[in-house]
PDB file of all heavy atoms in Angstrom:
ATOM      1  N   LYS A   1       5.330  18.035   3.924  1.00 93.00           N
ATOM      2  CA  LYS A   1       4.374  19.128   4.001  1.00 93.00           C
ATOM      3  C   LYS A   1       3.816  19.208   5.326  1.00 93.00           C
ATOM      4  O   LYS A   1       2.873  20.026   5.657  1.00 93.00           O
ATOM      5  CB  LYS A   1       3.298  19.080   2.910  1.00 93.00           C
ATOM      6  CG  LYS A   1       3.821  19.072   1.471  1.00 93.00           C
ATOM      7  CD  LYS A   1       4.524  20.409   1.112  1.00 93.00           C
ATOM      8  CE  LYS A   1       4.955  20.436  -0.301  1.00 93.00           C
ATOM      9  NZ  LYS A   1       5.751  21.637  -0.541  1.00 93.00           N
ATOM     10  N   ASN A   2       4.151  18.328   6.218  1.00 94.00           N
ATOM     11  CA  ASN A   2       3.693  18.268   7.556  1.00 94.00           C
ATOM     12  C   ASN A   2       2.134  18.139   7.653  1.00 94.00           C
ATOM     13  O   ASN A   2       1.535  18.715   8.479  1.00 94.00           O
ATOM     14  CB  ASN A   2       4.067  19.525   8.357  1.00 94.00           C
ATOM     15  CG  ASN A   2       5.572  19.521   8.648  1.00 94.00           C
ATOM     16  OD1 ASN A   2       6.166  18.495   9.194  1.00 94.00           O
ATOM     17  ND2 ASN A   2       6.170  20.637   8.367  1.00 94.00           N
ATOM     18  N   VAL A   3       1.651  17.353   6.665  1.00 94.00           N
ATOM     19  CA  VAL A   3       0.158  17.004   6.764  1.00 94.00           C
ATOM     20  C   VAL A   3      -0.005  15.916   7.883  1.00 94.00           C
ATOM     21  O   VAL A   3       0.991  15.378   8.335  1.00 94.00           O
ATOM     22  CB  VAL A   3      -0.375  16.591   5.446  1.00 94.00           C
ATOM     23  CG1 VAL A   3      -0.203  17.719   4.460  1.00 94.00           C
ATOM     24  CG2 VAL A   3       0.356  15.330   5.026  1.00 94.00           C
ATOM     25  N   ASP A   4      -1.352  15.542   8.168  1.00 96.00           N
ATOM     26  CA  ASP A   4      -1.511  14.659   9.234  1.00 96.00           C
ATOM     27  C   ASP A   4      -0.994  13.274   8.806  1.00 96.00           C
ATOM     28  O   ASP A   4      -0.856  12.929   7.672  1.00 96.00           O
ATOM     29  CB  ASP A   4      -3.024  14.529   9.510  1.00 96.00           C
ATOM     30  CG  ASP A   4      -3.850  14.060   8.341  1.00 96.00           C
ATOM     31  OD1 ASP A   4      -4.110  14.855   7.480  1.00 96.00           O
ATOM     32  OD2 ASP A   4      -4.160  12.869   8.272  1.00 96.00           O
ATOM     33  N   TRP A   5      -0.771  12.439   9.818  1.00 95.00           N
ATOM     34  CA  TRP A   5      -0.096  11.113   9.571  1.00 95.00           C
ATOM     35  C   TRP A   5      -0.948  10.244   8.674  1.00 95.00           C
ATOM     36  O   TRP A   5      -0.382   9.642   7.811  1.00 95.00           O
ATOM     37  CB  TRP A   5       0.081  10.423  10.962  1.00 95.00           C
ATOM     38  CG  TRP A   5       0.699   9.148  10.833  1.00 95.00           C
ATOM     39  CD1 TRP A   5       2.156   8.762  10.879  1.00 95.00           C
ATOM     40  CD2 TRP A   5       0.041   7.812  10.783  1.00 95.00           C
ATOM     41  NE1 TRP A   5       2.304   7.476  10.810  1.00 95.00           N
ATOM     42  CE2 TRP A   5       0.989   6.804  10.684  1.00 95.00           C
ATOM     43  CE3 TRP A   5      -1.310   7.393  10.746  1.00 95.00           C
ATOM     44  CZ2 TRP A   5       0.737   5.542  10.557  1.00 95.00           C
ATOM     45  CZ3 TRP A   5      -1.647   6.016  10.566  1.00 95.00           C
ATOM     46  CH2 TRP A   5      -0.575   5.096  10.439  1.00 95.00           C
ATOM     47  N   PHE A   6      -2.228  10.188   8.900  1.00 96.00           N
ATOM     48  CA  PHE A   6      -3.095   9.350   8.063  1.00 96.00           C
ATOM     49  C   PHE A   6      -3.027   9.759   6.571  1.00 96.00           C
ATOM     50  O   PHE A   6      -2.831   8.921   5.717  1.00 96.00           O
ATOM     51  CB  PHE A   6      -4.582   9.465   8.588  1.00 96.00           C
ATOM     52  CG  PHE A   6      -5.524   8.572   7.916  1.00 96.00           C
ATOM     53  CD1 PHE A   6      -5.660   7.280   8.447  1.00 96.00           C
ATOM     54  CD2 PHE A   6      -6.321   8.967   6.894  1.00 96.00           C
ATOM     55  CE1 PHE A   6      -6.530   6.374   7.734  1.00 96.00           C
ATOM     56  CE2 PHE A   6      -7.237   8.103   6.277  1.00 96.00           C
ATOM     57  CZ  PHE A   6      -7.375   6.834   6.753  1.00 96.00           C
ATOM     58  N   SER A   7      -3.106  11.012   6.262  1.00 96.00           N
ATOM     59  CA  SER A   7      -2.966  11.423   4.883  1.00 96.00           C
ATOM     60  C   SER A   7      -1.571  11.148   4.300  1.00 96.00           C
ATOM     61  O   SER A   7      -1.528  10.869   3.135  1.00 96.00           O
ATOM     62  CB  SER A   7      -3.320  13.002   4.724  1.00 96.00           C
ATOM     63  OG  SER A   7      -4.626  13.237   5.258  1.00 96.00           O
ATOM     64  N   THR A   8      -0.560  11.390   5.155  1.00 96.00           N
ATOM     65  CA  THR A   8       0.729  11.096   4.710  1.00 96.00           C
ATOM     66  C   THR A   8       0.987   9.639   4.194  1.00 96.00           C
ATOM     67  O   THR A   8       1.467   9.376   3.156  1.00 96.00           O
ATOM     68  CB  THR A   8       1.805  11.398   5.799  1.00 96.00           C
ATOM     69  OG1 THR A   8       1.709  12.751   6.170  1.00 96.00           O
ATOM     70  CG2 THR A   8       3.229  11.012   5.336  1.00 96.00           C
ATOM     71  N   GLN A   9       0.345   8.725   4.985  1.00 97.00           N
ATOM     72  CA  GLN A   9       0.402   7.308   4.585  1.00 97.00           C
ATOM     73  C   GLN A   9      -0.337   6.994   3.349  1.00 97.00           C
ATOM     74  O   GLN A   9       0.178   6.195   2.487  1.00 97.00           O
ATOM     75  CB  GLN A   9      -0.028   6.455   5.784  1.00 97.00           C
ATOM     76  CG  GLN A   9       0.593   6.675   7.101  1.00 97.00           C
ATOM     77  CD  GLN A   9       2.137   6.488   7.027  1.00 97.00           C
ATOM     78  OE1 GLN A   9       2.621   5.575   6.448  1.00 97.00           O
ATOM     79  NE2 GLN A   9       2.822   7.358   7.720  1.00 97.00           N
ATOM     80  N   LEU A  10      -1.506   7.618   3.145  1.00 97.00           N
ATOM     81  CA  LEU A  10      -2.421   7.298   2.040  1.00 97.00           C
ATOM     82  C   LEU A  10      -1.809   7.865   0.733  1.00 97.00           C
ATOM     83  O   LEU A  10      -1.917   7.285  -0.398  1.00 97.00           O
ATOM     84  CB  LEU A  10      -3.765   7.790   2.264  1.00 97.00           C
ATOM     85  CG  LEU A  10      -4.596   6.933   3.226  1.00 97.00           C
ATOM     86  CD1 LEU A  10      -6.003   7.610   3.409  1.00 97.00           C
ATOM     87  CD2 LEU A  10      -4.675   5.543   2.961  1.00 97.00           C
ATOM     88  N   GLN A  11      -1.226   9.105   0.756  1.00 96.00           N
ATOM     89  CA  GLN A  11      -0.607   9.675  -0.401  1.00 96.00           C
ATOM     90  C   GLN A  11       0.581   8.975  -0.905  1.00 96.00           C
ATOM     91  O   GLN A  11       0.837   9.140  -2.076  1.00 96.00           O
ATOM     92  CB  GLN A  11      -0.234  11.177  -0.022  1.00 96.00           C
ATOM     93  CG  GLN A  11      -1.422  12.088   0.193  1.00 96.00           C
ATOM     94  CD  GLN A  11      -0.961  13.492   0.582  1.00 96.00           C
ATOM     95  OE1 GLN A  11       0.277  13.690   0.833  1.00 96.00           O
ATOM     96  NE2 GLN A  11      -1.900  14.338   0.873  1.00 96.00           N
ATOM     97  N   ALA A  12       1.186   8.140  -0.085  1.00 96.00           N
ATOM     98  CA  ALA A  12       2.507   7.552  -0.481  1.00 96.00           C
ATOM     99  C   ALA A  12       2.375   6.083  -0.834  1.00 96.00           C
ATOM    100  O   ALA A  12       3.293   5.533  -1.184  1.00 96.00           O
ATOM    101  CB  ALA A  12       3.502   7.683   0.585  1.00 96.00           C
ATOM    102  N   THR A  13       1.164   5.535  -0.726  1.00 97.00           N
ATOM    103  CA  THR A  13       1.040   4.070  -0.824  1.00 97.00           C
ATOM    104  C   THR A  13      -0.060   3.703  -1.879  1.00 97.00           C
ATOM    105  O   THR A  13      -1.098   4.372  -1.925  1.00 97.00           O
ATOM    106  CB  THR A  13       0.728   3.347   0.424  1.00 97.00           C
ATOM    107  OG1 THR A  13      -0.467   3.995   1.155  1.00 97.00           O
ATOM    108  CG2 THR A  13       1.899   3.520   1.478  1.00 97.00           C
ATOM    109  N   CYS A  14       0.082   2.524  -2.524  1.00 96.00           N
ATOM    110  CA  CYS A  14      -0.967   2.014  -3.369  1.00 96.00           C
ATOM    111  C   CYS A  14      -0.915   0.498  -3.314  1.00 96.00           C
ATOM    112  O   CYS A  14       0.130  -0.046  -2.966  1.00 96.00           O
ATOM    113  CB  CYS A  14      -0.933   2.465  -4.846  1.00 96.00           C
ATOM    114  SG  CYS A  14       0.630   1.985  -5.627  1.00 96.00           S
ATOM    115  N   ASN A  15      -2.029  -0.109  -3.579  1.00 96.00           N
ATOM    116  CA  ASN A  15      -2.096  -1.560  -3.519  1.00 96.00           C
ATOM    117  C   ASN A  15      -1.982  -2.109  -4.895  1.00 96.00           C
ATOM    118  O   ASN A  15      -2.039  -1.432  -5.916  1.00 96.00           O
ATOM    119  CB  ASN A  15      -3.449  -2.001  -2.875  1.00 96.00           C
ATOM    120  CG  ASN A  15      -3.496  -1.840  -1.408  1.00 96.00           C
ATOM    121  OD1 ASN A  15      -2.548  -1.461  -0.772  1.00 96.00           O
ATOM    122  ND2 ASN A  15      -4.583  -2.249  -0.819  1.00 96.00           N
ATOM    123  N   VAL A  16      -1.606  -3.430  -4.964  1.00 95.00           N
ATOM    124  CA  VAL A  16      -1.484  -4.200  -6.180  1.00 95.00           C
ATOM    125  C   VAL A  16      -2.507  -5.295  -6.145  1.00 95.00           C
ATOM    126  O   VAL A  16      -2.727  -5.817  -5.027  1.00 95.00           O
ATOM    127  CB  VAL A  16      -0.087  -4.724  -6.367  1.00 95.00           C
ATOM    128  CG1 VAL A  16       0.016  -5.573  -7.594  1.00 95.00           C
ATOM    129  CG2 VAL A  16       0.904  -3.563  -6.327  1.00 95.00           C
ATOM    130  N   HIS A  17      -3.066  -5.673  -7.242  1.00 94.00           N
ATOM    131  CA  HIS A  17      -4.123  -6.643  -7.286  1.00 94.00           C
ATOM    132  C   HIS A  17      -3.830  -7.889  -6.505  1.00 94.00           C
ATOM    133  O   HIS A  17      -2.733  -8.431  -6.555  1.00 94.00           O
ATOM    134  CB  HIS A  17      -4.379  -7.068  -8.801  1.00 94.00           C
ATOM    135  CG  HIS A  17      -5.421  -8.094  -8.996  1.00 94.00           C
ATOM    136  ND1 HIS A  17      -6.695  -7.925  -8.723  1.00 94.00           N
ATOM    137  CD2 HIS A  17      -5.259  -9.393  -9.252  1.00 94.00           C
ATOM    138  CE1 HIS A  17      -7.445  -9.029  -9.040  1.00 94.00           C
ATOM    139  NE2 HIS A  17      -6.539  -9.931  -9.277  1.00 94.00           N
ATOM    140  N   GLN A  18      -4.824  -8.389  -5.763  1.00 93.00           N
ATOM    141  CA  GLN A  18      -4.662  -9.525  -4.953  1.00 93.00           C
ATOM    142  C   GLN A  18      -4.754 -10.864  -5.668  1.00 93.00           C
ATOM    143  O   GLN A  18      -5.722 -10.894  -6.471  1.00 93.00           O
ATOM    144  CB  GLN A  18      -5.607  -9.586  -3.743  1.00 93.00           C
ATOM    145  CG  GLN A  18      -5.187 -10.480  -2.668  1.00 93.00           C
ATOM    146  CD  GLN A  18      -6.317 -11.422  -2.195  1.00 93.00           C
ATOM    147  OE1 GLN A  18      -7.480 -11.283  -2.585  1.00 93.00           O
ATOM    148  NE2 GLN A  18      -6.000 -12.491  -1.447  1.00 93.00           N
ATOM    149  N   SER A  19      -3.884 -11.672  -5.544  1.00 95.00           N
ATOM    150  CA  SER A  19      -3.995 -13.071  -6.152  1.00 95.00           C
ATOM    151  C   SER A  19      -3.054 -13.974  -5.259  1.00 95.00           C
ATOM    152  O   SER A  19      -2.262 -13.495  -4.549  1.00 95.00           O
ATOM    153  CB  SER A  19      -3.538 -13.154  -7.543  1.00 95.00           C
ATOM    154  OG  SER A  19      -2.055 -12.857  -7.675  1.00 95.00           O
ATOM    155  N   PHE A  20      -3.191 -15.356  -5.402  1.00 95.00           N
ATOM    156  CA  PHE A  20      -2.311 -16.211  -4.598  1.00 95.00           C
ATOM    157  C   PHE A  20      -0.850 -15.912  -4.883  1.00 95.00           C
ATOM    158  O   PHE A  20       0.022 -15.773  -4.010  1.00 95.00           O
ATOM    159  CB  PHE A  20      -2.704 -17.624  -4.935  1.00 95.00           C
ATOM    160  CG  PHE A  20      -1.782 -18.597  -4.192  1.00 95.00           C
ATOM    161  CD1 PHE A  20      -2.025 -18.967  -2.903  1.00 95.00           C
ATOM    162  CD2 PHE A  20      -0.733 -19.261  -4.776  1.00 95.00           C
ATOM    163  CE1 PHE A  20      -1.300 -19.859  -2.183  1.00 95.00           C
ATOM    164  CE2 PHE A  20       0.007 -20.111  -4.129  1.00 95.00           C
ATOM    165  CZ  PHE A  20      -0.215 -20.441  -2.816  1.00 95.00           C
ATOM    166  N   PHE A  21      -0.533 -15.720  -6.227  1.00 96.00           N
ATOM    167  CA  PHE A  21       0.864 -15.412  -6.586  1.00 96.00           C
ATOM    168  C   PHE A  21       1.312 -14.129  -6.052  1.00 96.00           C
ATOM    169  O   PHE A  21       2.417 -14.032  -5.535  1.00 96.00           O
ATOM    170  CB  PHE A  21       0.994 -15.450  -8.118  1.00 96.00           C
ATOM    171  CG  PHE A  21       2.394 -15.089  -8.675  1.00 96.00           C
ATOM    172  CD1 PHE A  21       3.396 -15.994  -8.593  1.00 96.00           C
ATOM    173  CD2 PHE A  21       2.692 -13.796  -9.033  1.00 96.00           C
ATOM    174  CE1 PHE A  21       4.680 -15.672  -8.878  1.00 96.00           C
ATOM    175  CE2 PHE A  21       3.929 -13.457  -9.519  1.00 96.00           C
ATOM    176  CZ  PHE A  21       4.908 -14.392  -9.428  1.00 96.00           C
ATOM    177  N   ASN A  22       0.481 -13.058  -6.177  1.00 95.00           N
ATOM    178  CA  ASN A  22       0.889 -11.709  -5.767  1.00 95.00           C
ATOM    179  C   ASN A  22       1.191 -11.709  -4.296  1.00 95.00           C
ATOM    180  O   ASN A  22       2.045 -10.985  -3.744  1.00 95.00           O
ATOM    181  CB  ASN A  22      -0.056 -10.661  -6.167  1.00 95.00           C
ATOM    182  CG  ASN A  22       0.059 -10.268  -7.709  1.00 95.00           C
ATOM    183  OD1 ASN A  22       0.971 -10.812  -8.350  1.00 95.00           O
ATOM    184  ND2 ASN A  22      -0.844  -9.551  -8.230  1.00 95.00           N
ATOM    185  N   ASP A  23       0.272 -12.337  -3.544  1.00 96.00           N
ATOM    186  CA  ASP A  23       0.471 -12.417  -2.046  1.00 96.00           C
ATOM    187  C   ASP A  23       1.756 -13.075  -1.660  1.00 96.00           C
ATOM    188  O   ASP A  23       2.499 -12.538  -0.872  1.00 96.00           O
ATOM    189  CB  ASP A  23      -0.739 -13.187  -1.462  1.00 96.00           C
ATOM    190  CG  ASP A  23      -2.085 -12.515  -1.503  1.00 96.00           C
ATOM    191  OD1 ASP A  23      -2.057 -11.315  -1.997  1.00 96.00           O
ATOM    192  OD2 ASP A  23      -3.057 -13.101  -1.179  1.00 96.00           O
ATOM    193  N   TRP A  24       2.082 -14.207  -2.388  1.00 96.00           N
ATOM    194  CA  TRP A  24       3.341 -14.882  -2.110  1.00 96.00           C
ATOM    195  C   TRP A  24       4.576 -14.081  -2.569  1.00 96.00           C
ATOM    196  O   TRP A  24       5.524 -14.018  -1.886  1.00 96.00           O
ATOM    197  CB  TRP A  24       3.262 -16.310  -2.823  1.00 96.00           C
ATOM    198  CG  TRP A  24       4.562 -16.990  -2.728  1.00 96.00           C
ATOM    199  CD1 TRP A  24       5.140 -17.681  -1.648  1.00 96.00           C
ATOM    200  CD2 TRP A  24       5.588 -16.983  -3.768  1.00 96.00           C
ATOM    201  NE1 TRP A  24       6.325 -18.203  -2.038  1.00 96.00           N
ATOM    202  CE2 TRP A  24       6.693 -17.786  -3.283  1.00 96.00           C
ATOM    203  CE3 TRP A  24       5.670 -16.467  -5.044  1.00 96.00           C
ATOM    204  CZ2 TRP A  24       7.786 -18.042  -4.090  1.00 96.00           C
ATOM    205  CZ3 TRP A  24       6.761 -16.654  -5.797  1.00 96.00           C
ATOM    206  CH2 TRP A  24       7.841 -17.597  -5.348  1.00 96.00           C
ATOM    207  N   PHE A  25       4.527 -13.563  -3.810  1.00 96.00           N
ATOM    208  CA  PHE A  25       5.608 -12.985  -4.458  1.00 96.00           C
ATOM    209  C   PHE A  25       6.032 -11.682  -3.608  1.00 96.00           C
ATOM    210  O   PHE A  25       7.205 -11.308  -3.448  1.00 96.00           O
ATOM    211  CB  PHE A  25       5.314 -12.496  -5.854  1.00 96.00           C
ATOM    212  CG  PHE A  25       6.473 -11.980  -6.667  1.00 96.00           C
ATOM    213  CD1 PHE A  25       7.339 -12.767  -7.267  1.00 96.00           C
ATOM    214  CD2 PHE A  25       6.627 -10.569  -6.712  1.00 96.00           C
ATOM    215  CE1 PHE A  25       8.485 -12.313  -7.868  1.00 96.00           C
ATOM    216  CE2 PHE A  25       7.649 -10.082  -7.464  1.00 96.00           C
ATOM    217  CZ  PHE A  25       8.522 -10.874  -8.082  1.00 96.00           C
TER     218      PHE A  25
END
C-alpha cells in the first residue's frame, strides 16, 4: 500500500514472550 516505512514494519511484525528459552530457541 506504499505506506511509510515505519508503519510497514510495525504492521507486519509481532513479538513473542521473552524468556531464557524463547531467546535461545
Side-chain angles (χ1 to χ4, degrees):
K1 300 299 183 182
N2 290 313
V3 299
D4 64 277
W5 181 87
F6 187 82
S7 299
T8 299
Q9 305 303 318
L10 289 180
Q11 288 176 0
T13 55
C14 64
N15 283 1
V16 177
H17 178 70
Q18 196 231 349
S19 68
F20 178 81
F21 175 79
N22 285 354
D23 291 352
W24 170 81
F25 187 84

